[in-house]
Amino acid sequence: MAVTQLRDAPWSAAPVYLWGASGAGKSHLLSAAAHRMQAEGGRVVWAGAARPVPWDWPEEGDCPALAVIDDCDALDAAQQQAAFALFVRAAGARQPILAAGSRPPVDLPLRDDLRSRLGWGLVFHIEPLQDEEVRAVLVHEAGRRGIPLGEDVARYLQTRFSRDLASLMRLLDRLDRYALA
């Protein structure tokens, strides 16, 4: 989807909120959307619990922006205030807002005005991949990197190491670097 399509979509004024368990891929999806926006010339404002405030919004007339707020359930008081201000600026400029957390908006331990804004748009529950799906992703990604990885090796990695996809992908990165050394 092009920047202008994302910006002009009928739902663009409403936020999109993703929630699910840790390791389900929420941050990965936010990052993919942000990279797509940047690749098409848009500016991304990335905010979240791991990023200190202030979060800068582009000046008037600047390129289109996407506001991304990650780990909404872990925002402190100052970050909640900054996130609310980000909502106001993005909504006023009709710019898209993507956010994620581990709980649905109604259950977030946030100030009421921010919680309600996160919940009035599109809300999607992201389910973690099942074991066989994780193995398929590992085999596919290894193949993309030129590493022959059979289903039996993927199963071994899954039973001997952390089962979440993020950890297994980091392990694959280490294996890839080791193979190149």
Side-chain angles (χ1 to χ4, degrees), residues 113-126:
D113 55 359
L114 180 58
R115 186 179 334 109
S116 68
R117 278 175 178 68
L118 289 168
W120 69 262
L122 301 172
V123 177
F124 297 100
H125 183 206
I126 306 298

Side-chain angles (χ1 to χ4, degrees), residues 122-144:
L122 301 172
V123 177
F124 297 100
H125 183 206
I126 306 298
E127 293 283 338
L129 296 176
Q130 299 299 315
D131 286 346
E132 58 275 357
E133 295 168 321
V134 169
R135 285 192 299 273
V137 168
L138 277 175
V139 169
H140 178 271
E141 179 61 18
R144 190 184 70 74

Side-chain angles (χ1 to χ4, degrees), residues 87-171:
F87 259 94
V88 171
R89 296 282 308 267
R94 295 199 40 83
Q95 301 297 344
I97 302 165
L98 300 178
S102 63
R103 305 174 193 181
V106 70
D107 293 336
L108 291 171
L110 302 174
R111 45 191 263 187
D112 290 338
D113 55 359
L114 180 58
R115 186 179 334 109
S116 68
R117 278 175 178 68
L118 289 168
W120 69 262
L122 301 172
V123 177
F124 297 100
H125 183 206
I126 306 298
E127 293 283 338
L129 296 176
Q130 299 299 315
D131 286 346
E132 58 275 357
E133 295 168 321
V134 169
R135 285 192 299 273
V137 168
L138 277 175
V139 169
H140 178 271
E141 179 61 18
R144 190 184 70 74
R145 297 176 184 204
I147 302 170
L149 185 71
E151 175 79 18
D152 54 337
V153 176
R155 189 181 313 277
Y156 176 85
L157 293 175
Q158 212 172 16
T159 57
R160 300 291 192 264
F161 298 94
S162 182
R163 301 175 75 89
D164 69 283
L165 186 57
S167 298
L168 289 168
M169 293 304 283
R170 285 191 298 273
L171 178 62

